[in-house]
Amino acid sequence: MSENELYKKAERRADEKIGFYRHLYSFIIVNVIFIIMNVIFFKGDWWFYWITGFWGIGLIFHFLKTFVLNEKLDGDYRDKMIEKEMEKMKK
């Protein structure tokens, strides 16, 4: 792999990680605001956990895509898949 390709791959991975951290920070800030609003204005009618729960599921999937699946798909396995697809296309 050339230096330029390696740089582009590293740049893409860094952007994906930054995107996840932005998602995480917005999740925390917005849900803290929702919890405070819920406690102050809607005592006894708990609705914030629906938003937090569903958004949390999305955040978990974003984490898995960014930190778990990319690690598995970026290695030799990905290169072998590309070579296999190229062989299929040549036939």
Side-chain angles (χ1 to χ4, degrees):
M1 184 176 288
S2 73
E3 189 71 26
N4 190 30
E5 290 173 329
L6 194 60
Y7 179 82
K8 287 184 183 277
K9 191 175 188 179
E11 185 179 40
R12 182 180 57 83
R13 292 293 312 276
D15 288 342
E16 289 174 358
K17 288 179 180 181
I18 289 169
F20 170 77
Y21 288 122
R22 285 181 178 165
H23 187 184
L24 176 64
Y25 298 147
S26 63
F27 172 82
I28 292 169
I29 291 168
V30 170
N31 281 290
V32 166
I33 292 169
F34 283 158
I35 291 168
I36 292 169
M37 285 174 47
N38 198 169
V39 169
I40 293 173
F41 298 114
F42 301 97
K43 296 175 184 168
D45 185 22
W46 302 109
W47 50 263
F48 75 89
Y49 58 85
W50 290 104
I51 297 168
T52 303
F54 286 113
W55 192 353
I57 291 169
L59 188 64
I60 289 169
F61 281 115
H62 194 171
F63 172 82
L64 292 173
K65 178 190 169 289
T66 302
F67 293 102
V68 177
L69 296 177
N70 267 348
E71 296 293 330
K72 293 188 187 298
L73 295 178
D74 276 352
D76 295 330
Y77 182 73
R78 182 176 180 272
D79 293 335
K80 289 178 185 176
M81 286 179 67
I82 291 171
E83 288 175 17
K84 188 175 177 181
E85 288 299 321
M86 288 175 63
E87 290 300 320
K88 284 183 185 177
M89 290 178 176
K90 289 179 183 177
K91 291 181 181 181

